[in-house]
Amino acid sequence: ELGRTYRESNLFGKAIECHRHELALAKQLHDTIAMVQTLNNIGTNYRRMGVLDEAINYHYRALHLAEAFSLQQDPTAFKNRLVSLNGIGNICLTLSDTETADSVFRAALAGARFLGRHLGQAINYANIGSLFEHSNRTDSAWTYYRLSMEQNKLAHSDLGISLCHTYFGSMYEQAHQYDKAKAEYEKAYRLMEASDDKWHSLNTLIALAGIDMATGDDGKATARLEQAKRVADEIKSHEHLAEIYTLYYKIYKREGKYSAALAAHEMAQAMRDSVVDMEKM
């Protein structure tokens, strides 16, 4: 629990340290279920940090351990197995391996339905929706995002509801319905603003900056980007910094500030390379 609290406060190094202690204790106790849970926790921490090779290693170790000991009969163990699948699916999505991500997310969704877990269903409906969105299958994406929203409301998850508003905003933005997109992003941001979960709130702040830029309000976009960059630097999220520098590049290019645009473009590429370099692939 302490490790999870550190993670939610964006202190990923301390979170990993706590979960390593947890893993040592689980091994001493020969508690396989606790070991699976701990390996997933460490994997999630590395995933948030963008260290994808370590993240997928820990999630796969958790998955293999759960399956080797036939832990599917135990509800907690079954749930831990679904966490492993979700982690692997998200990493595959980051690495653009959509085929593996799709099969993994659907397996996790089937498991969440079997357990009757609203939050698990919500997460996987959203994950599958994002796959449809990336492949421009708009109707299917909307269907899955709405199913996710239903399950998040049943689970009373403010984070999940906020994320769904962000997904809705993204869909409206792609359709150039900027007013509707901004309204959805603002709903999402209001839900996340009071939260300590800076990692997720950054997504919405960056999305709002993108809408400001798309509608020609570069001043407001830049102010939001400055705020987002401070937070992303603080939590060392290269994934978010890549998005932030990409938006800076577009703004500077439009304003004719080509030297600043080139510098921003190079920074965005450097951040992207640090998340998905060849070794991590």
Side-chain angles (χ1 to χ4, degrees):
E1 289 302 320
L2 183 59
R4 191 177 287 116
T5 302
Y6 277 131
R7 180 167 72 228
E8 288 170 359
S9 301
N10 312 292
L11 299 167
F12 301 118
K14 287 187 175 181
I16 289 170
E17 189 181 331
C18 283
H19 288 141
R20 287 194 189 282
H21 286 309
E22 182 190 4
L23 182 59
L25 290 168
K27 285 178 177 176
Q28 285 175 31
L29 294 165
H30 304 291
D31 187 335
T32 310
I33 291 175
M35 286 166 67
V36 172
Q37 184 174 322
T38 310
L39 290 166
N40 277 327
N41 272 327
I42 297 172
T44 302
N45 293 331
Y46 277 122
R47 187 154 47 91
R48 292 282 184 91
M49 293 168 73
V51 186
L52 302 184
D53 51 337
E54 284 293 312
I56 203 161
N57 174 41
Y58 277 96
H59 284 310
Y60 266 119
R61 281 172 63 187
L63 184 63
H64 290 156
L65 194 60
E67 291 179 343
F69 283 86
S70 299
L71 296 176
Q72 288 91 325
Q73 307 307 317
D74 182 287
T76 305
F78 194 93
K79 177 186 163 189
N80 289 339
R81 180 176 175 273
L82 300 184
V83 172
S84 302
L85 290 170
N86 275 321
I88 292 163
N90 278 305
I91 293 164
C92 289
L93 192 58
T94 303
L95 297 173
S96 302
D97 181 1
T98 53
E99 190 176 334
T100 305
D102 183 72
S103 62
V104 170
F105 287 146
R106 288 184 186 279
L109 176 60
R113 279 178 178 159
F114 176 75
L115 289 178
R117 290 186 65 240
H118 295 304
L119 191 57
Q121 290 180 68
I123 289 167
N124 285 291
Y125 277 130
N127 285 335
I128 296 168
S130 70
L131 287 171
F132 281 126
E133 183 181 351
H134 285 123
S135 60
N136 296 315
R137 294 163 72 182
T138 309
D139 291 345
S140 296
W142 268 115
T143 298
Y144 276 84
Y145 284 150
R146 286 176 178 134
L147 286 167
S148 179
M149 179 64 97
E150 284 175 21
Q151 293 297 320
N152 275 310
K153 286 178 177 176
L154 289 169
H156 306 291
S157 170
D158 283 347
L159 171 58
I161 292 166
S162 169
L163 289 171
C164 282
H165 282 304
T166 304
Y167 303 143
F168 294 168
S170 175
M171 297 296 289
Y172 282 130
E173 185 176 357
Q174 287 179 48
H176 304 291
Q177 296 179 345
Y178 296 125
D179 288 345
K180 287 183 177 180
K182 189 169 186 175
E184 292 292 344
Y185 288 147
E186 283 173 345
K187 285 177 193 172
Y189 192 63
R190 281 196 295 273
L191 280 167
M192 289 303 301
E193 205 170 7
S195 167
D196 289 331
D197 190 340
K198 294 177 183 176
W199 197 89
H200 278 111
S201 64
L202 266 176
N203 294 333
T204 317
L205 188 56
I206 293 167
L208 280 166
I211 284 289
D212 289 332
M213 193 202 77
T215 53
D217 194 341
D218 288 354
K220 191 176 279 187
T222 303
R224 290 196 208 270
L225 288 174
E226 284 170 5
Q227 184 185 347
K229 186 178 177 301
R230 281 196 299 273
V231 176
D233 281 331
E234 181 190 332
I235 68 171
K236 298 179 174 59
S237 175
H238 290 189
E239 202 173 334
H240 288 113
L241 284 167
E243 293 179 52
I244 291 163
Y245 281 117
T246 298
L247 286 176
Y248 270 128
Y249 156 71
K250 289 177 180 177
I251 291 170
Y252 290 142
K253 184 181 174 186
R254 187 159 69 188
E255 291 175 347
K257 298 174 181 175
Y258 297 117
S259 177
L262 178 60
H265 178 73
E266 288 173 342
M267 284 299 294
Q269 194 58 50
M271 291 297 138
R272 215 168 274 118
D273 288 346
S274 73
V275 174
V276 189
D277 61 24
M278 287 310 293
E279 183 185 356
K280 287 171 188 168
M281 285 285 249

